[in-house]
Amino acid sequence: MNKTKKIEEILAQIPPKFLLDHYWNILDLINWRVFVTSEDKEHFNISDLREKITEEINSSPHPFHLRMCLRSKEVIDEVVSEFVNAGLLIKEDEKFKKTDTLSEFCYLLKKKFQANLRRYTTWGLWYLYNHGSASFSTAELVSLLSYSYGDLYEEIPHLGRWKEGKWFELLRRQENKWKLIEEPYPSTHILIRDIYNRLDKSISTLSKFKTDFYGEEIITTLRKLEENSAERMLKKIGLKREEDKWKIDEEVLSNIEKLLRVGIRWPSFGHIISTKRDFKYFKLQSKQVYVDIPTTYFQDFLVNVKGIEGNNPEEAYEKARELAGDCNRNLEREIGGWLRFVVTKQFFGYKPLGIQLRINWDEFNTFLDEFAEIDIELWKKYSYILGCRAPSLDIILRRDLKEVQDEVREICEEEIEQINQEVEELIEKIEGFRDYLLKIARRRKMIPIEPLTLYYFPEMLSILNTFPSIVENGAVTSCYREMRKVLENLSWVVFDDLLFFRVKNRRGKDETSLLSPYRFISKEWYDWASQNQHMIRNLGQFKKEIKVLSEEIYLYGKRKGYNWNEEKIIEIFFEKISYPMFLMLINADAQIPKKLEGFVPQYEVKTLRDLAIRDLENIIKDLKNKRLSKSDGEFIDKLSEKLEINSSKLIPLYPSNDFVIAFVSKVSSINLQKLYNEYSHFIHTYFTSWHIFPFSSVLEFKIYKHQLQIFDDAILGLINYYFSLFSRKGNKSSNNPP
């Protein structure tokens, strides 16, 4: 029986609840932890497991871990019995011996099932089907994937929240109800979370309407959330429901078997074409062109070998070995020691010498995971990928691609699932931000017009919703282009709202209905500004304009004995500057052509100057951290003279994308510029930006999974920063951003 069939049989016998934390603790114990301090590295008995769990109970400082250990102790006999029945443990008198299959099974669960909701659900379906339930209810499935009613009910009193270096109770008993004391932190994908995350999610859902609840109410709500999650996944897998029952038909069964398949061979594009005439003394013993193995190294090595063959096979052998040694040292420096060239003597072949490409597959898989997350430029990672798949073009143009694509897709299934989960969570959070911003815009008088960011959210969400489809089709590089567009557009709307609402968020009466020039930019304005050099292209230009004023402020502070730091003054400028000051510093000395009137904005200088003085006042106030004195006011009046413009109207400079993104990066302390530059690589015709054909690299999906997390963190960080625009002293809100 092959490994795949063996694992399928085990999954049919072992229930999926063995992934729940207290069951998994026993699996992990049996797999290795029970043997750590034992002299017998092969056998154990039930008492060994109990003693180990008792040690962990007595030494655990973490209350959740303590509770998990207590629950683990109750299922020891059940786990051991199931493992013996499944052939994962061999019983020898009162002792048990683990099989090699048990280690492989535990590794498989950890790598393929633990964080993968699709596979976890599929395991439940497979278990049901093999126990005679080709038709089942959602509740029956959830009972296999979740904790028992008793376990859930017993954990409610022990829920807590860690903050300020200690644990606080989440709920407090009041008669026959539970009173919410601390805010729960719910997570998504509830069916692959531990018992505490699941209960937190249920309590969070209930807390939207009230703050005290019955224990039964918490569990009922949790079951509903779990069933909703399971039903969404069942639909994705392809099941259909008739009345209250889901049906596993032949097509669904085939899909289940594919999802559970393991032991996949590493995909190959095909073989290097080699004839007897290519080499005088050498035979190629390795001809497979594997996915994500840099074939370019092998090709270069073969070219060099051809040049040293000479007329003596023994001499050719020594030179080839020397050449292989040099290449292997270079390979180890560049990618690690998992790939090596080996030159051998053949005693029975038609050529006296052989060339092998040896791959340590365990180290190779580790390399893929580590290289995906290494902190180097994205284009350099794609340079490696290009070196792996570009040489395969001659091969793949001669054969059907479907086989290798299917193999890559199957290996990447976990990454694709995690990518989709990541996108789903991001969309959910963005929708929460959108709803919260809409509530603010409708409630607060301080917002005279809708924030431009609010207008952008629908497009942003529509783009994010395309990511799963793009990834499912293997066109990963297209995602980077869309991510670049999101970064660009989000930076623009935040930039506009930032400068506009800083005017509106001030205390006191606003004397203008200033409409920002960058709210709805036009191609006509851009073309005119670009042709006539009326653009601000980088942050350095802007800093030069600020420096004129900041130096005067520094000297004034020095005279007054305030001891202000020059860098701090510039930081305060970025924190306080609004549209009036910005436009007074960044403007064009030009006349608007008649045909562009209405496309190119212009402003009354006097109105802007009066409002810009407010920015100067705020800057000095922040530096002093107290009210302005009479001498401060006189200094500000004098300083404002530097804002004089010899015209009654001014025309704003058109900001480049680089400037806008750099400005927003600066004020938010989030390096959007680095990401934007990384993703810009994929809008150009560099060969490294080609994906050659979909599903031609496993590494590409691993890299994208990592990059998506970085992108998510940046986007959510920027939006959280954005909401700080609407938080100020004296204007508190009971509602916080989601």
Side-chain angles (χ1 to χ4, degrees):
M1 182 184 298
N2 64 37
K3 187 185 295 184
T4 299
K5 288 296 182 185
K6 178 63 177 175
I7 293 297
E8 286 178 357
E9 282 193 5
I10 295 170
L11 292 172
Q13 291 179 264
I14 302 292
K17 68 179 180 180
F18 273 40
L19 276 185
L20 300 178
D21 58 0
H22 55 308
Y23 282 94
W24 179 258
N25 191 39
I26 302 302
L27 266 69
D28 199 49
L29 199 61
I30 293 171
N31 190 36
W32 70 279
R33 286 183 7 242
V34 73
F35 300 106
V36 171
T37 56
S38 174
E39 291 183 3
D40 187 345
K41 301 299 182 183
E42 290 188 354
H43 300 86
F44 68 91
N45 55 38
I46 296 292
S47 62
D48 292 331
L49 300 179
R50 294 193 185 282
E51 287 174 12
K52 193 69 176 176
I53 291 294
T54 302
E55 287 177 18
E56 293 185 3
I57 291 171
N58 293 334
S59 62
S60 178
H62 195 301
F64 287 1
H65 185 261
L66 171 63
R67 294 292 308 166
M68 183 269 289
C69 288
L70 289 170
R71 283 184 279 113
S72 297
K73 203 168 186 178
E74 300 300 315
V75 299
I76 290 174
D77 291 331
E78 179 185 356
V79 172
V80 171
S81 175
E82 290 281 4
F83 274 15
V84 170
N85 292 336
L88 296 172
L89 290 176
I90 300 170
K91 188 173 183 181
E92 297 177 353
D93 297 323
E94 295 301 315
K95 291 195 172 187
F96 302 90
K97 180 180 179 180
K98 73 170 188 173
T99 65
D100 292 338
T101 306
L102 185 142
S103 295
E104 293 171 4
F105 179 65
C106 290
Y107 179 83
L108 170 72
L109 294 186
K110 185 175 182 180
K111 291 292 184 181
K112 299 293 185 180
F113 287 83
Q114 229 173 26
N116 190 311
L117 179 56
R118 185 189 295 267
R119 271 221 169 106
Y120 187 39
T121 306
T122 303
W123 183 5
L125 298 177
W126 182 244
Y127 184 86
L128 283 169
Y129 180 83
N130 282 278
H131 285 74
S133 298
S135 175
F136 59 93
S137 67
T138 308
E140 287 177 277
L141 175 63
V142 167
S143 69
L144 292 174
L145 308 178
S146 187
Y147 298 84
S148 69
Y149 184 97
D151 284 342
L152 291 168
Y153 198 90
E154 288 179 10
E155 289 304 324
I156 292 174
H158 303 282
L159 296 174
R161 180 67 57 242
W162 176 263
K163 67 177 187 178
E164 300 172 356
K166 58 183 179 179
W167 286 96
F168 291 82
E169 60 183 355
L170 182 68
L171 304 172
R172 185 171 297 158
R173 188 82 179 188
Q174 290 187 351
E175 296 180 355
N176 60 343
K177 285 189 176 183
W178 292 99
K179 177 73 175 176
L180 185 62
I181 305 301
E182 295 288 338
E183 183 181 356
Y185 296 151
S187 58
T188 54
H189 302 292
I190 194 169
L191 282 172
I192 51 174
R193 303 304 178 195
D194 64 25
I195 195 167
Y196 304 105
N197 276 291
R198 296 189 193 216
L199 288 169
D200 267 19
K201 178 66 174 178
S202 176
I203 292 166
S204 176
T205 302
L206 288 169
S207 67
K208 293 177 182 178
F209 311 102
K210 53 186 176 180
T211 58
D212 55 349
F213 0 81
Y214 296 101
E216 294 82 1
E217 196 175 12
I218 295 172
I219 298 173
T220 301
T221 302
L222 172 58
R223 286 292 187 241
K224 185 62 178 175
L225 292 169
E226 289 174 328
E227 288 178 12
N228 289 342
S229 178
E231 288 178 359
R232 286 194 298 271
M233 185 53 66
L234 290 173
K235 290 174 183 177
K236 286 183 180 180
I237 295 172
L239 274 80
K240 295 179 180 178
R241 181 161 52 184
E242 296 178 9
E243 298 180 351
D244 291 331
K245 296 286 187 179
W246 298 89
K247 306 290 183 182
I248 301 177
D249 57 24
E250 290 300 320
E251 183 179 352
V252 169
L253 185 60
S254 175
N255 290 336
I256 290 171
E257 290 172 337
K258 287 178 182 177
L259 284 167
L260 296 179
R261 190 175 301 147
V262 292
I264 306 165
R265 68 183 181 90
W266 195 256
S268 166
F269 294 116
H271 296 83
I272 295 173
I273 296 177
S274 175
T275 67
K276 294 180 180 180
R277 295 187 299 273
D278 289 339
F279 294 94
K280 193 173 184 180
Y281 302 120
F282 293 94
K283 177 182 182 295
L284 291 188
Q285 296 173 322
S286 304
K287 294 185 178 182
Q288 290 279 358
V289 181
Y290 289 109
V291 168
D292 290 326
I293 302 292
T295 311
T296 47
Y297 289 118
F298 196 34
Q299 291 177 329
D300 292 343
F301 180 72
L302 294 180
V303 170
N304 291 331
V305 167
K306 198 171 182 66
I308 54 105
E309 279 197 291
N311 296 311
N312 184 325
E314 190 62 35
E315 183 181 343
Y317 172 71
E318 293 299 330
K319 287 183 177 180
R321 286 191 65 196
E322 184 179 338
L323 182 63
D326 291 340
C327 290
N328 290 338
R329 284 187 286 274
N330 289 334
L331 284 172
E332 188 155 8
R333 280 194 300 271
E334 293 181 24
I335 61 174
W338 55 267
L339 183 67
R340 297 182 61 80
F341 299 111
V342 178
V343 179
T344 63
K345 289 185 176 180
Q346 297 190 123
F347 298 101
F348 303 104
Y350 62 87
K351 296 284 180 76
L353 306 175
I355 297 173
Q356 295 178 5
L357 185 66
R358 289 186 182 171
I359 302 164
N360 184 317
W361 290 103
D362 288 339
E363 290 184 13
F364 168 65
N365 280 292
T366 300
F367 164 78
L368 292 183
D369 291 335
E370 292 177 350
F371 187 74
E373 299 187 10
I374 194 172
D375 187 19
I376 61 173
E377 293 94 331
L378 186 57
W379 72 266
K380 289 184 178 178
K381 295 182 181 182
Y382 267 82
S383 293
Y384 174 86
I385 292 175
L386 180 68
C388 298
R389 58 187 175 189
S392 67
L393 271 170
D394 286 342
I395 300 172
I396 62 180
L397 289 173
R398 297 192 303 267
R399 57 166 286 195
D400 182 17
L401 307 180
K402 188 175 184 306
E403 182 180 351
V404 67
Q405 286 178 303
D406 287 346
E407 290 171 351
V408 170
R409 189 196 307 268
E410 192 166 357
I411 292 173
C412 294
E413 188 176 84
E414 182 178 353
E415 280 75 21
I416 293 172
E417 179 68 23
Q418 291 174 355
I419 288 166
N420 290 341
Q421 288 177 9
E422 187 77 31
V423 172
E424 186 179 325
E425 289 177 12
L426 178 61
I427 288 171
E428 184 177 324
K429 290 173 183 175
I430 298 296
E431 288 174 340
F433 281 123
R434 175 201 60 197
D435 296 343
Y436 181 72
L437 184 54
L438 183 60
K439 187 187 298 183
I440 293 175
R442 287 175 174 172
R443 185 181 69 247
R444 295 189 177 184
K445 294 180 181 178
M446 60 177 280
I447 301 182
I449 60 174
E450 300 286 4
L452 190 56
T453 304
L454 184 60
Y455 286 157
Y456 178 59
F457 276 144
E459 172 163 322
M460 181 180 178
L461 287 166
S462 69
I463 291 173
L464 295 176
N465 272 301
T466 67
F467 283 13
S469 176
I470 295 173
V471 172
E472 289 287 348
N473 285 285
V476 173
T477 54
S478 297
C479 289
Y480 292 117
R481 291 189 279 272
E482 295 301 324
M483 288 155 69
R484 177 184 183 271
K485 187 65 175 172
V486 169
L487 282 175
E488 181 181 313
N489 287 345
L490 187 60
S491 295
W492 266 91
V493 296
V494 168
F495 170 72
D496 180 80
D497 283 350
L498 176 82
L499 295 181
F500 179 74
F501 288 113
R502 278 180 179 172
V503 182
K504 295 298 172 186
N505 280 3
R506 294 172 176 154
R507 294 184 183 184
K509 181 181 178 183
D510 282 319
E511 298 174 354
T512 181
S513 57
L514 173 72
L515 193 62
S516 64
Y518 306 126
R519 190 166 179 82
F520 295 110
I521 54 177
S522 65
K523 187 175 187 304
E524 290 86 351
W525 181 18
Y526 169 78
D527 289 342
W528 175 76
S530 180
Q531 291 165 12
N532 294 280
Q533 301 298 309
H534 298 323
M535 295 185 70
I536 177 167
R537 297 191 178 277
N538 56 66
L539 201 59
Q541 284 180 255
F542 185 62
K543 285 182 177 179
K544 285 180 183 178
E545 299 296 333
I546 290 178
K547 194 168 180 62
V548 175
L549 298 175
S550 66
E551 286 178 348
E552 290 290 332
I553 295 173
Y554 171 74
L555 293 173
Y556 171 72
K558 194 173 183 181
R559 290 195 301 272
K560 300 286 287 184
Y562 291 146
N563 195 29
W564 293 337
N565 180 283
E566 288 186 76
E567 290 185 5
K568 179 64 175 176
I569 294 170
I570 292 176
E571 291 298 319
I572 297 293
F573 256 97
F574 277 98
E575 289 176 12
K576 295 299 176 182
I577 194 167
S578 64
Y579 261 127
M581 172 69 81
F582 184 85
L583 298 179
M584 292 297 291
L585 293 172
I586 304 298
N587 53 76
D589 182 12
Q591 293 292 321
I592 301 175
K594 191 80 173 172
K595 64 179 181 179
L596 292 179
E597 289 180 359
F599 293 107
V600 179
Q602 58 180 339
Y603 293 88
E604 294 287 341
V605 170
K606 183 180 184 309
T607 302
L608 289 178
R609 184 178 177 278
D610 291 344
L611 288 167
I613 291 173
R614 299 257 199 98
D615 285 346
L616 293 176
E617 291 173 349
N618 286 331
I619 290 166
I620 302 299
K621 280 181 185 176
D622 257 43
L623 288 167
K624 288 185 65 177
N625 200 25
K626 57 185 177 181
R627 297 177 65 179
L628 299 176
S629 66
K630 182 179 179 182
S631 60
D632 294 335
E634 291 170 352
F635 167 70
I636 290 169
D637 288 340
K638 185 177 180 181
L639 185 62
S640 67
E641 293 174 4
K642 293 188 176 293
L643 299 175
E644 294 287 354
I645 295 174
N646 296 324
S647 175
S648 61
K649 294 181 181 293
L650 65 74
I651 300 169
L653 291 183
Y654 189 101
S656 68
N657 289 333
D658 284 342
F659 169 78
V660 170
I661 294 167
F663 186 94
V664 175
S665 294
K666 171 73 175 172
V667 297
S668 66
S669 300
I670 299 169
N671 197 350
L672 305 172
Q673 250 185 317
K674 181 178 184 293
L675 294 182
Y676 185 76
N677 292 336
E678 293 264 49
Y679 305 154
S680 294
H681 178 76
F682 297 95
I683 67 169
H684 299 297
T685 54
Y686 308 125
F687 287 141
T688 45
S689 71
W690 291 19
H691 71 218
I692 309 297
F693 68 97
F695 295 104
S696 55
S697 169
V698 172
L699 178 59
E700 182 172 34
F701 287 88
K702 292 179 179 289
I703 291 171
Y704 181 65
K705 183 182 74 171
H706 177 64
Q707 286 295 323
L708 182 62
Q709 181 61 63
I710 296 172
F711 172 79
D712 287 6
D713 291 345
I715 293 296
L716 295 174
L718 178 57
I719 295 176
N720 275 310
Y721 163 77
Y722 172 82
F723 275 97
S724 70
L725 291 174
F726 305 107
S727 300
R728 58 176 184 152
K729 293 178 181 178
N731 194 359
K732 296 179 180 177
S733 170
S734 59
N735 295 319
N736 296 315

